[in-house]
């Protein structure tokens, strides 16, 4: 059995009160009706959280506008209907502004029942909306707190990894150094078997050092401790240095390596070491997954919005569509085919993504299985520098700071 509603009726005329109660009972409203005649009594009754308030428009010293103000101060969502014997347009407007649900003339008492039902339904919807909004705010606060905790844990993890990587790298560097001394025969001649073992130690030590360096760099970027030192650099110079660094690897694998720069202005404002690392990661990855006789091309061009794009294209094995979304994840490596024959940490692309995003850029890839891949990085130029440089160039001729580059220039390495 449902609990009867509590209805407060602000009415100083007992006959009118009885008329209102009779009409609502005739309508079928199951409720307990309480008559209120003073402001103090009204404030006290609100503590009972009534379901409906019906108010005479002007009680002695206590009108419906004051009642609406008191109700608003409590923050309760209770439908409030004003009843009056005289129509007053200004009064209607003011009451509705204060939050009244409806305004009825007493001589239209037959409309009271439907008006009450409508007001109760609307109040219930408002309560549900407010409850949903509060639940959403509470959930958002919980998610924000979880996010802050996750960020703090991630920072602590990154700091731990950075410290551990540093502690591991120091003795490992010594191991590699001693292995190189042994391989070079600087402490005496080794037997063929000892030479093989020592070369294995050296190769695996360098591989482990590469992994530790990647983890260290990744941890530094994530913890915000990776230093960036932007300066004016010539992009073709950085590309040439990148090609020179992997020239031997390309020659050994019989892969053609070219550069295609399509930029009218070739100087940018970035950290040259980080840009070189981004390019090396992309190019090294392309060389790993391109079979002998293939081609790797470094593209560079300006994009819209004061950005430029560097892109590394290969004619390698390609990537399945379902693997594209996982390329830049930590410790992720492709499965199957040539990928199974290639050693790697699975951190190169993840680190590239972090380095690019830390400088306000973005990364991505396009690929077709069996036809090759294109990995790109969009990075910001120095728009302010370009404007100043353009203004200076109109005042006096300036000698070029780097060798002139045509719209499309290629540098090729062939086996």
């Amino acid at each position: 059995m449902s609990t009867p509603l509590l209805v407060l009726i602000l009415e100083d005329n007992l006959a009118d009160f009885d008329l209102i109660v009779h009409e609502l009972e005739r309508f079928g409203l199951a409720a307990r009706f309480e008559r209120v005649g003073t402001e103090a009594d009204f404030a006290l009754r609100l503590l009972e959280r009534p379901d409906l308030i019906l108010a005479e428009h002007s009680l002695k010293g206590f009108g419906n506008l004051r009642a609406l103000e008191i109700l608003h101060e409590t923050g309760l969502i209770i439908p409030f209907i004003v009843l009056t014997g005289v129509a007053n347009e200004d009064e209607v407007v003011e009451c509705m502004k204060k939050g009244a649900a409806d305004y009825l003339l007493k001589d239209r008492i037959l409309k009271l029942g439907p008006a009450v039902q409508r007001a109760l339904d609307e109040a219930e919807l408002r309560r549900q909306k407010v409850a949903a909004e509060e639940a959403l705010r509470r959930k958002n606060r919980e998610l924000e707190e979880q996010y802050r905790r996750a960020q703090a844990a991630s920072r602590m993890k990154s700091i731990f990894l950075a410290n551990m990587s540093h502690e591991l790298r120091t003795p490992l560097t010594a191991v590699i150094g001693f292995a190189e001394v042994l391989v070079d025969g600087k402490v005496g001649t080794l037997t063929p078997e000892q030479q093989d073992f020592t070369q294995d130690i050296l190769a695996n030590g360098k591989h482990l050092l590469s992994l530790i360096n990647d983890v260290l760099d990744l941890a530094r970027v994530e913890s915000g401790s990776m230093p960036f030192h932007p300066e004016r650099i010539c992009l073709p110079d950085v590309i040439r240095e990148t090609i020179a660094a992997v020239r031997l690897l390309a020659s050994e694998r019989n892969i053609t390596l070219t550069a295609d720069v399509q930029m009218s202005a070739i100087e940018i404002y970035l950290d040259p070491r980080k840009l070189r690392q981004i390019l090396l990661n992309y190019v090294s990855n392309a060389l790993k997954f391109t079979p002998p006789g293939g081609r790797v091309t470094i593209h560079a061009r300006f994009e819209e919005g004061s950005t430029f794009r560097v892109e590394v294209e290969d004619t390698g094995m390609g990537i399945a569509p379902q693997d594209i979304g996982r390329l830049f994840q930590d410790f992720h490596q492709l499965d199957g085919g040539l990928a199974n024959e290639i050693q790697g940490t699975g951190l190169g692309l993840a680190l590239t993504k972090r380095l690019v995003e830390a400088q306000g850029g973005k990364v991505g890839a396009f690929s077709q299985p069996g036809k090759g891949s294109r990995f790109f990085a969009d990075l910001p130029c120095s728009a302010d520098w370009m404007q100043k440089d353009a203004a200076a160039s109109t005042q006096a001729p300036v000698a070029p700071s780097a060798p002139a580059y045509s719209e499309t220039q290629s540098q090729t390495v062939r086996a």
Side-chain angles (χ1 to χ4, degrees), residues 10-12 36-40 42-43 53-71 80-84 91 94-95 98 103:
L10 282 62
E11 177 62 72
D12 55 2
V36 176
T38 65
E39 180 176 337
F42 177 65
I53 300 172
L54 304 175
E56 163 63 35
H57 85 286
S58 59
L59 298 177
K60 293 180 181 179
F62 175 50
N64 52 60
L65 291 177
R66 176 58 185 153
L68 282 166
E69 290 177 358
I70 295 173
L71 177 61
F80 191 106
I81 297 177
V82 177
L83 302 174
T84 181
E91 183 83 7
E94 191 63 27
C95 285
K98 293 286 186 179
Y103 195 104

Side-chain angles (χ1 to χ4, degrees), residues 32 39 47 63 198 230 238 268 363 380 412:
R32 176 168 62 94
E39 180 176 337
L47 298 176
T198 307
V238 177
I268 54 178
V363 298
T412 305

Side-chain angles (χ1 to χ4, degrees), residues 205-253:
K206 288 182 176 180
H207 176 67
L208 181 56
L209 180 61
S210 174
L211 172 59
I212 291 174
N213 286 336
D214 285 346
V215 171
L216 179 59
D217 286 342
L218 196 63
R220 282 176 174 173
V221 175
E222 288 184 341
S223 65
S225 60
M226 170 71 78
F228 288 89
H229 304 289
E231 60 185 68
R232 288 176 61 170
I233 57 177
C234 177
L235 182 58
D237 285 348
V238 177
I239 292 175
R240 278 193 294 268
E241 292 168 1
T242 303
I243 289 176
V246 293
R247 183 190 303 273
L248 181 59
L249 178 60
S251 297
E252 290 175 348
R253 294 187 59 81

